[in-house]
Amino acid sequence: MDKAKAYLSLKKFSLDSGADVFGVCDIGHLKEELILSNKIKEKLKFAISLGVCLSSAVLEDIEDAPTRLYFHHYRSVNMFLDQLSLRVARHIQKKGFRALSIPASQIVDWQKQSAHLSHKKIAALAGIGWIGRNNLLVNKKYGSQMRLITILTDMPLKADKPSGESCGKCFSCLKICPAQAIKEKKEDFDHMKCFEKLKQFQKQRLVDQYICGVCVKSCAGEKEAK
């Protein structure tokens, strides 16, 4: 099977189905980081990363805390991603290969706040963007204003390369972070400060999930200039 042709065909199908970004990476070296059975990790060596852009109108309403509209939109986009990945996975299966869709937002270890895998790390490896100062994936066009999902497969596909880009001299998220968790160096991101602020938002009944959206709003990528 021609990996490049299979890649282009699957990319077109994914974008036509509603994805805004598409990328592929080999995850053979990530086995220890995946909270999945050994059977899955041994058979499914490729990861397909899909992303959907968030609504600018919903994000514009956020000031220093998440809104109920953002919370509803966040869940709606996650549900759309789950349906999108199911459609792509079924498409792959019809071609005779295995495909496993990993939920867009599902915590499997609440103590460590970890999921089956890191969608943002997969997306970074698949060339969709880079991990920014805000500890989120940053895409050149959409910034961090996206939600992501991953499909694991044994379908032979051409793999993308990491972008190699960075936030450069942009510090917009650092200035407005309500938890002061974002630092100049992305390695210094304060996970605990961020998590404590998310718990505070939930206690205030602003949202029913650990989300914020303030730094997401500030990181608009190239579309910010429009």
Side-chain angles (χ1 to χ4, degrees), residues 191-201:
H191 294 266
M192 286 309 300
K193 273 190 175 182
C194 177
F195 187 52
E196 287 303 316
K197 179 59 72 171
L198 298 185
K199 289 196 291 186
Q200 182 182 327
F201 289 147

Side-chain angles (χ1 to χ4, degrees), residues 10-192:
L10 191 60
K11 180 177 182 178
K12 183 180 186 306
F13 180 85
S14 300
L15 298 180
D16 288 346
S17 296
D20 291 311
V21 294
F22 173 96
V24 174
C25 67
D26 187 317
I27 56 169
H29 63 295
L30 294 180
K31 287 185 178 181
E32 297 303 315
E33 298 181 33
L34 308 180
I35 307 178
L36 294 163
S37 71
N38 288 330
K39 186 182 293 186
I40 290 175
K41 289 188 280 189
E42 288 170 8
K43 292 182 177 179
L44 309 182
K45 301 292 181 64
F46 293 95
I48 300 157
S49 180
L50 305 175
V52 170
C53 188
L54 294 167
S55 165
S56 297
V58 170
L59 292 172
E60 283 169 7
D61 196 40
I62 296 174
E63 293 184 4
D64 57 358
T67 64
R68 298 299 295 182
L69 279 174
Y70 177 62
F71 175 54
H72 177 76
H73 181 60
Y74 179 94
R75 291 194 303 176
S76 296
V77 173
N78 283 342
M79 286 189 286
F80 177 80
L81 280 166
D82 285 335
Q83 291 300 310
L84 170 65
S85 66
L86 176 61
R87 184 174 184 184
V88 174
R90 281 172 51 80
H91 179 74
I92 292 170
Q93 287 177 184
K94 287 178 181 178
K95 292 186 175 295
F97 300 98
R98 296 182 181 87
L100 175 66
S101 177
I102 305 298
S105 184
Q106 184 181 53
I107 301 297
V108 296
D109 188 330
W110 285 97
Q111 289 280 54
K112 297 180 180 178
Q113 279 292 294
S114 56
H116 290 100
L117 52 73
S118 170
H119 293 302
K120 64 185 177 184
K121 182 165 186 176
I122 296 295
L125 290 171
I128 288 176
W130 62 93
I131 306 300
R133 292 188 176 90
N134 57 8
N135 198 43
L136 299 174
L137 184 88
V138 181
N139 173 268
K140 189 172 183 179
K141 181 177 180 180
Y142 299 112
S144 291
Q145 297 183 2
M146 293 189 306
R147 294 292 298 154
L148 301 162
I149 200 162
T150 306
I151 301 165
L152 305 183
T153 185
D154 59 358
M155 183 181 193
L157 295 165
K158 175 185 76 72
D160 292 290
K161 295 180 181 178
S163 71
E165 296 178 280
S166 70
C167 297
K169 296 181 180 180
C170 178
F171 296 93
S172 61
C173 63
L174 187 152
K175 300 172 185 176
I176 65 162
C177 175
Q180 297 183 323
I182 301 172
K183 312 299 180 183
E184 288 194 18
K185 294 181 180 179
K186 68 177 184 179
E187 296 81 9
D188 295 332
F189 180 84
D190 194 326
H191 294 266
M192 286 309 300

